[in-house]
């Protein structure tokens, strides 16, 4: 169990550029979540995958955001035409089985849009 | 919709003091409740959890009891250490949700002074 890995840890980009983040969940975890955390706030749900199927998307996930999880393994989150308001920590979490089994979070990708 | 409210911080305590961080929730179903801790520059780590009314979660000297009658899940520790300095998040997982997504409070920063 190597935990949930996220890459990169930090990303600085110019407004208008596209960025892509990667999450590698724990291998036997079939459920994967993306959250966004802004400074001084708790994480907010963005989207959820069960295996390769994206089953729920938050209203926070505008048309500029897209997430994939091909083959039900790693996941990517892409933001197109970044805006300064996209600056945040993007967290990935995975779990196996029941909610009560708990979630494992990655260390996050901190995005700064300048 | 479901929500979580935490006491505002920062909470500043001296080492060996008693800690209480209040958390109340609003939920339509029967959620599971969690406390997560976030150290600087890191992702969230599960501290403890409770899945039904009157359950007590405990870990590393921290405790919280799921109180359905007061819709609360207050975090307590009898004697804090400097190493407990971090941000603490209360969260619930929607009871009737198929996704099991987490709803977080805004976080409470704890600073413990030697």
């Amino acid at each position: 169990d190597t935990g949930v890995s996220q890459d990169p840890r930090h990303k600085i980009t110019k407004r208008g550029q596209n960025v892509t983040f990667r999450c590698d969940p724990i291998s036997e975890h079939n459920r994967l979540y993306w959250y966004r955390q802004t400074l001084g706030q708790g994480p907010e749900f963005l989207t959820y995958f069960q295996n390769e199927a994206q089953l729920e998307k938050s209203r926070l996930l505008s048309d500029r955001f897209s997430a994939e999880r091909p083959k039900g393994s790693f996941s990517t989150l892409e933001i197109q035409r970044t805006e300064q308001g996209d600056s945040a920590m993007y967290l990935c979490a995975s779990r196996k089985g029941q909610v009560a089994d708990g979630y494992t979070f990655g260390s996050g990708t901190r995005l700064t849009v300048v | 919709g479901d929500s979580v409210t935490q006491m505002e911080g920062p909470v500043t305590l001296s080492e060996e003091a008693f800690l209480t961080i209040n958390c109340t929730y609003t939920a339509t179903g029967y959620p599971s409740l969690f406390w997560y801790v976030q150290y600087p520059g890191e992702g969230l780590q599960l501290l403890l959890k409770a899945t039904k009314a009157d359950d007590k979660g405990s870990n590393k000297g921290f405790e919280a009891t799921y109180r359905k009658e007061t819709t609360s899940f207050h975090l307590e520790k009898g004697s804090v250490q400097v190493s407990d300095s971090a941000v603490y998040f209360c969260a619930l997982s929607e009871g009737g949700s198929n996704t099991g997504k987490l709803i977080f409070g805004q976080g409470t920063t704890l600073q413990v002074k030697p």
Side-chain angles (χ1 to χ4, degrees):
Chain A
D1 180 355
T2 57
V4 177
S5 299
Q6 292 190 246
D7 183 68
R9 290 293 304 272
H10 304 275
K11 178 70 176 179
I12 299 174
T13 191
K14 292 183 178 180
R15 188 174 51 187
Q17 297 295 305
N18 299 344
V19 294
T20 300
F21 311 140
R22 176 179 172 124
C23 171
D24 286 90
I26 293 172
S27 57
E28 64 265 30
H29 286 190
N30 61 341
R31 293 168 168 81
L32 185 147
Y33 303 78
W34 285 97
Y35 291 85
R36 182 172 70 187
Q37 184 180 19
T38 53
L39 199 61
Q41 299 297 315
E44 296 173 295
F45 170 77
L46 291 179
T47 190
Y48 161 68
F49 290 86
Q50 184 168 327
N51 300 310
E52 67 276 9
Q54 187 175 19
L55 298 184
E56 185 172 343
K57 294 192 290 186
S58 163
R59 293 189 306 274
L60 295 175
L61 216 63
S62 75
D63 292 345
R64 297 183 297 106
F65 288 70
S66 63
E68 295 182 341
R69 193 183 183 197
K71 303 179 183 178
S73 56
F74 71 92
S75 176
T76 58
L77 178 67
E78 180 184 16
I79 309 175
Q80 296 182 327
R81 305 181 303 280
T82 52
E83 302 173 354
Q84 287 189 321
D86 297 331
S87 296
M89 175 78 86
Y90 290 84
L91 295 166
C92 178
S94 68
R95 72 174 174 93
K96 169 185 175 184
Q98 299 300 313
V99 164
D101 293 338
Y103 305 72
T104 302
F105 278 83
S107 297
T109 294
R110 181 167 295 284
L111 173 67
T112 302
V113 181
V114 297
Chain B
D2 293 4
S3 66
V4 175
T5 302
Q6 292 180 232
M7 64 186 285
E8 295 209 7
V11 174
T12 303
L13 296 173
S14 297
E15 206 164 22
E16 299 184 0
F18 184 86
L19 168 71
T20 299
I21 300 178
N22 289 339
C23 171
T24 57
Y25 67 90
T26 301
T28 52
Y30 299 94
S32 294
L33 301 175
F34 305 85
W35 277 100
Y36 280 85
V37 59
Q38 187 174 36
Y39 298 99
E42 298 185 12
L44 280 73
Q45 299 175 24
L46 178 64
L47 182 59
L48 54 83
K49 64 184 179 184
T51 58
K52 61 183 187 296
D54 300 325
D55 269 1
K56 176 184 283 188
S58 62
N59 186 26
K60 300 180 180 178
F62 291 89
E63 294 183 340
T65 301
Y66 190 142
R67 300 288 189 198
K68 190 171 186 299
E69 64 276 12
T70 54
T71 61
S72 65
F73 193 55
H74 304 321
L75 183 68
E76 297 182 336
K77 186 176 186 183
S79 176
V80 294
Q81 305 300 312
V82 172
S83 58
D84 294 327
S85 298
V87 182
Y88 291 81
F89 292 95
C90 185
L92 67 81
S93 180
E94 297 176 325
S97 167
N98 290 327
T99 68
K101 66 187 178 191
L102 293 173
I103 308 294
F104 287 88
Q106 74 272 31
T108 302
T109 298
L110 171 64
Q111 298 173 339
V112 181
K113 297 186 175 180

